[in-house]
Amino acid sequence: KLSVRNHLDFLKGKHGLIGMTRLASVFLMRLCTAETAMYLDFFGKEEEEETKENDDKAEENESAKANGGDDANTGAHTGKENGSGSGNGTTTAKKGPKAKDAATLASQVMAKDGTYYDSEFQSFLDTLCENLHRTIRRGIVSILELDTLCQIVSVLREERSLANASPTTMAAARSLGRVIFDAQERLIFCANTALNKEVVRFRATPIDLDYPDKLRKYRELQDEKKENGNHSVGSSEDALQDQMQIYDSWFPPIRSVLKVLSKIFRVVEPKVFEDIALSSVQACARSLKSGGSYIEKKSGQLHSDLFLVKHLLILREQLSPFDIQLRSVERQLDFSDAGKAVSRFLANRNRRLFSMTTENALVTLLREGVSTREASIDSKRDLEDALRSACNDFIEHTSASLAGPVITLVEQCKSVTAANTSTLSSQSFMTGEYVKVVVTRTLDRLEPELGEVITQMGLYMDNKATQSILLKPVVRKIVRILEDSKRFVNECSVEGNDNWNAEIKHDVFKIIGDIENMIKSASPR
């Protein structure tokens, strides 16, 4: 045992923890096989071997009879071939005993029902293999890097699958299983620590929320590469550098969540991974919301909306390959009825405090005063709701910035029509001159505002299809507003109304048509 421990320490000092893990696993499997072979050479029973060989021969004879004599003919043919050439016969005679020893070694260790013939010898092998657990455990307790822990768990899993393939190495497999459990435990601790520091307790700095300047810097770097012609080289280093620049432009909690989840996805249990992903996604969504509020005060409503839409789309897209549900049920104790239950307990003078039945007063007090409340949490649904809400906010705010005066006019008309207290034509805001001023002001501000919206959308979103999907609802809403404005103008510009004439109506409709054409022609750049 001491020599095994010294050898494992030597491997650790020479090859490091990861290299030592693989080499030590192979060493222990060979050691178990050698110890088992030596044990059977000294203490194995020949009678058991002969019995097993006879049983195997009996099974072969039965199968030969079941095949209707085909195996007998095959045996005769094989005998002729062996007798025809001395070289083939000699080779068969040499390979037979070796094949027999390899095949019967496992059967001499474990019975068909899965029990070992000598459990004390297996305990001895477990004692030898415990050194692997001791050596690796001392190494992993001081490791903080997730990459190193993930590599160790992956190596241990591969070696355990090889050790499980033979009963002679099951002692090594059991030791590897214990090491895997400890390594996963350390990995989960380090992952939770990293997420707690970088996501849950994350406090954004002005540099972290420097939007849209952070995206502008990234776009300038891309434009410089195109001008210099570096994009045509297409080397792997350039592609990696471009990808890292994209990651740097993301909000830090998004980067941390996706980095940690991508590392531990294959090396922890699915239930554990889903629980970690659930809490981290919730914390990330809260950080995004607070970051959006800061950007709204610093850069404006448009940048706040695009910031949320961009990062929620990234989070949803990057989580989809994991194929997780992100659902859980939280149970909490509900003490809302405790006061009434205590009052009934004190008011009852026939309390049975020492009764051994369900009518015991204390049991009744606990049953009536304390209940369990369950709450279902679906982070994937919450993420979809947050994305939908962010898109709706963008549509509302962008529509208001592009066609605000006309939208206000239409809302005033609808409120008067719904109240049904006075005619629409008698309102001061529906005179011909005022409506013309409103639509003219909308047309004058539309072109620069629309250009700014499209430019900022291209800055936040590289995919033109995404830009188009997000811009279409804005176009449809403004077109509906313009149709409503035409309808209200037709209602007010009737004969006998001194506030309207044919020239003003023609000018208003022309301006509304220009606004509609400009809106419909809008497309991502």
Side-chain angles (χ1 to χ4, degrees), residues 103-341:
T104 59
L105 185 61
S107 62
Q108 296 179 39
V109 176
M110 180 182 290
K112 293 183 178 180
D113 58 356
T115 59
Y116 288 98
Y117 290 118
D118 195 338
S119 58
E120 294 182 359
F121 176 69
Q122 292 298 319
S123 300
F124 167 73
L125 293 180
D126 289 336
T127 305
L128 292 179
C129 295
E130 282 179 359
N131 294 284
L132 177 66
H133 181 240
R134 165 188 166 276
T135 305
I136 296 181
R137 182 177 175 84
R138 285 192 307 170
I140 63 176
V141 293
S142 60
I143 296 177
L144 297 176
E145 293 82 4
L146 294 180
D147 292 329
T148 304
L149 291 170
C150 291
Q151 290 180 34
I152 291 174
V153 175
S154 299
V155 169
L156 289 170
R157 281 182 165 180
E158 293 176 8
E159 298 301 330
R160 185 180 63 174
S161 63
L162 295 175
N164 281 325
S166 175
T168 59
T169 57
M170 289 300 294
R174 290 191 292 270
S175 179
L176 288 170
R178 290 190 292 270
V179 180
I180 289 173
F181 179 81
D182 290 342
Q184 286 179 332
E185 190 177 47
R186 179 67 182 174
L187 176 61
I188 293 168
F189 170 78
C190 293
N192 282 325
T193 302
L195 290 172
N196 189 46
K197 178 182 178 181
E198 299 175 8
V199 181
V200 178
R201 296 184 179 181
F202 176 78
R203 295 294 179 268
T205 62
I207 298 177
D208 296 327
L209 295 171
D210 189 19
Y211 290 91
D213 292 338
K214 186 182 292 188
L215 299 176
R216 289 197 184 104
K217 293 177 181 178
Y218 165 71
R219 190 57 57 86
E220 290 174 359
L221 291 174
Q222 295 298 111
D223 294 340
E224 289 179 1
K225 286 185 178 181
K226 291 181 179 180
E227 291 177 0
N228 296 331
N230 293 336
H231 66 286
S232 61
V233 177
S235 63
S236 58
E237 294 182 359
D238 292 340
L240 180 61
Q241 186 178 2
D242 293 342
Q243 193 66 33
M244 292 303 299
Q245 290 177 355
I246 294 175
Y247 289 155
D248 291 338
S249 67
W250 292 358
F251 193 44
I254 291 277
R255 297 201 305 263
S256 300
V257 168
L258 297 176
K259 177 183 68 176
V260 172
L261 293 182
S262 62
K263 289 180 180 180
I264 68 173
F265 177 53
R266 299 293 183 184
V267 292
V268 298
E269 299 299 325
K271 291 291 184 182
V272 176
F273 176 81
E274 190 165 344
D275 184 65
I276 294 175
L278 177 69
S279 58
S280 61
V281 169
Q282 290 176 340
C284 188
R286 290 193 296 268
S287 297
L288 284 174
K289 187 175 181 181
S290 61
S293 301
Y294 177 86
I295 293 176
E296 180 182 355
K297 297 176 183 177
K298 173 181 173 290
S299 303
Q301 187 67 60
L302 176 62
H303 294 283
S304 175
D305 294 336
L306 289 175
F307 167 81
L308 286 175
V309 172
K310 172 186 176 67
H311 286 92
L312 289 172
L313 281 173
I314 291 173
L315 190 58
R316 186 184 68 172
E317 179 183 356
Q318 298 295 325
L319 287 176
S320 58
F322 296 125
D323 192 21
I324 50 180
Q325 297 298 322
L326 296 178
R327 295 177 183 173
S328 67
V329 178
E330 290 187 353
R331 294 178 176 85
Q332 299 176 346
L333 293 178
D334 186 6
F335 295 95
S336 58
D337 296 331
K340 297 179 181 179

Side-chain angles (χ1 to χ4, degrees), residues 370-386:
V370 182
S371 59
T372 303
R373 182 174 56 189
E374 295 185 353
S376 178
I377 298 177
D378 190 343
S379 290
K380 185 175 286 188
R381 181 191 60 195
D382 295 341
L383 182 62
E384 292 291 340
D385 292 341

